[in-house]
Amino acid sequence: MDSIFQHFRKEEQQFIEQVSGWMNEVEDRYTPKLTDFLDPRERFIVKSVLGSNEIRMESRGLFPDAERQRVLLYPSYYEPTDEDFDITVFELKYPVKFVTLRHPDILGSLMSVGLDRSKFGDIRIDGERIQFAVADEVSLYLQTNFVSAAKVKVQLIEVDDVSEMITATEEWHEESHTVSSMRLDTVMSSVYNISRQKAAALIHGGKVKVNWTVQEQPSFELHESDMISSRGFGRIKVLMIEGRTKKDKVRLQIGRLEQRK
């Protein structure tokens, strides 16, 4: 386990231990283990912990190219099917003429009924259409208790046909940047073309996530493959650390996301 810990940040060690527990459960019971919804970083950790182990993994989010997906760990004899992932997609019925609902409105309303974020997958919006994925075990509870969003009444309609689910395509554009350090506020300042003070204010304000987790330390050290999401500024990814200049500055390749529905 120590050899795995050295490849990840200290704050990720608890999740690594949880993954190890899931593996032990599959090995001891010789039956599949289904997780809650995991983000891409968490799924990468699961894959890394598994290594060459005989336990296998597959993931589904039901939406095409879903960002958040449930993971199934299973013995080599088992053959997974879509039904193993226990996911329901709902479409929101609401008075579209009188209100515009945004992603934070939906997520906040879902959380307010008392369920953990790990029970929800992607939330997708295409104009007036809103859909989201949930774990089957909470779908009935949601249909009963999720009755309003942003102070308007809503109704959940189950979406069975995959062709009716909202698709989202992503375009990444690469950029080169030179920064004095890999501090979060320094990289944000360069990529977003804002002052370090502005970047620090965003971070302290809880408006910045690194690898899908809120990060409130401007001095946080970024690594290759880290995903940074800043409210109002979009999403970027550290694609490559190319080395240092003669003045000892860091050369970076950054990916910037443009999302189109």
Side-chain angles (χ1 to χ4, degrees):
M1 185 64 73
D2 289 342
S3 62
I4 294 177
F5 282 159
Q6 68 183 0
H7 297 291
F8 295 95
R9 295 186 172 100
K10 186 176 181 180
E11 59 266 25
E12 294 175 323
Q13 291 183 5
Q14 184 177 353
F15 181 70
I16 293 171
E17 291 172 350
Q18 187 177 18
V19 174
S20 180
W22 294 338
M23 290 172 57
N24 291 336
E25 193 175 328
V26 175
E27 288 175 338
D28 293 345
R29 299 181 180 180
Y30 209 52
T31 57
K33 167 68 177 178
L34 180 64
T35 74
D36 287 334
F37 287 95
L38 305 181
D39 62 43
R41 176 66 177 180
E42 291 170 327
R43 297 200 300 278
F44 171 75
I45 292 175
V46 173
K47 187 175 182 179
S48 300
V49 174
L50 283 181
S52 58
N53 194 289
E54 289 189 1
I55 297 174
R56 300 174 182 176
M57 71 172 281
E58 283 197 31
S59 60
R60 301 276 196 285
L62 218 56
F63 283 114
D65 301 315
E67 181 174 272
R68 297 177 60 82
Q69 301 181 16
R70 301 190 82 171
V71 169
L72 188 74
L73 302 176
Y74 58 95
S76 56
Y77 78 88
Y78 194 80
E79 295 185 4
T81 65
D82 288 343
E83 287 70 29
D84 287 318
F85 292 87
D86 295 344
I87 302 172
T88 300
V89 169
F90 286 120
E91 182 152 349
L92 215 59
K93 187 177 180 181
Y94 65 103
V96 296
K97 292 183 179 180
F98 303 105
V99 65
T100 300
L101 294 176
R102 301 171 298 115
H103 189 285
D105 298 323
I106 306 305
L107 179 58
S109 299
L110 286 169
M111 300 284 284
S112 70
V113 299
L115 295 177
D116 191 83
R117 178 66 180 98
S118 63
K119 294 298 181 184
F120 312 120
D122 285 9
I123 298 170
R124 296 200 170 176
I125 300 177
D126 182 12
E128 297 173 345
R129 295 181 68 207
I130 299 173
Q131 297 176 350
F132 55 86
V134 302
D136 278 356
E137 58 265 29
V138 302
S139 60
L140 184 59
Y141 177 86
L142 271 180
Q143 283 180 304
T144 304
N145 294 278
F146 184 44
V147 295
S148 66
K151 299 181 180 180
V152 299
K153 290 184 178 181
V154 299
Q155 183 181 356
L156 302 185
I157 308 297
E158 188 172 343
V159 181
D160 294 318
D161 189 345
V162 174
S163 67
E164 293 296 317
M165 295 179 188
I166 297 172
T167 59
T169 58
E170 295 181 342
E171 285 190 19
W172 289 88
H173 297 279
E174 292 188 16
E175 302 173 356
S176 297
H177 289 266
T178 302
V179 295
S180 58
S181 77
M182 291 302 294
R183 283 174 54 116
L184 177 58
D185 59 349
T186 301
V187 173
M188 285 178 56
S189 174
S190 177
V191 177
Y192 295 134
N193 195 26
I194 58 177
S195 68
R196 278 183 59 182
Q197 290 79 5
K198 172 69 172 177
L202 290 169
I203 296 164
H204 285 308
K207 296 180 179 179
V208 177
K209 292 182 179 180
V210 178
N211 297 328
W212 297 272
T213 300
V214 173
Q215 177 54 247
E216 296 183 344
Q217 295 298 322
S219 60
F220 183 82
E221 193 80 4
L222 293 172
H223 297 163
E224 277 188 355
S225 81
D226 280 345
M227 184 80 75
I228 302 100
S229 176
S230 307
R231 197 179 307 168
F233 289 88
R235 187 179 293 186
I236 59 173
K237 185 175 185 178
V238 181
L239 299 177
M240 185 184 299
I241 299 175
E242 296 182 322
R244 290 186 175 270
T245 67
K246 291 181 179 179
K247 294 184 178 180
D248 204 32
K249 292 194 173 185
V250 184
R251 292 196 304 270
L252 293 178
Q253 281 295 112
I254 295 289
R256 188 190 295 269
L257 176 67
E258 285 191 9
Q259 190 165 1
R260 296 176 181 177
K261 296 289 178 65

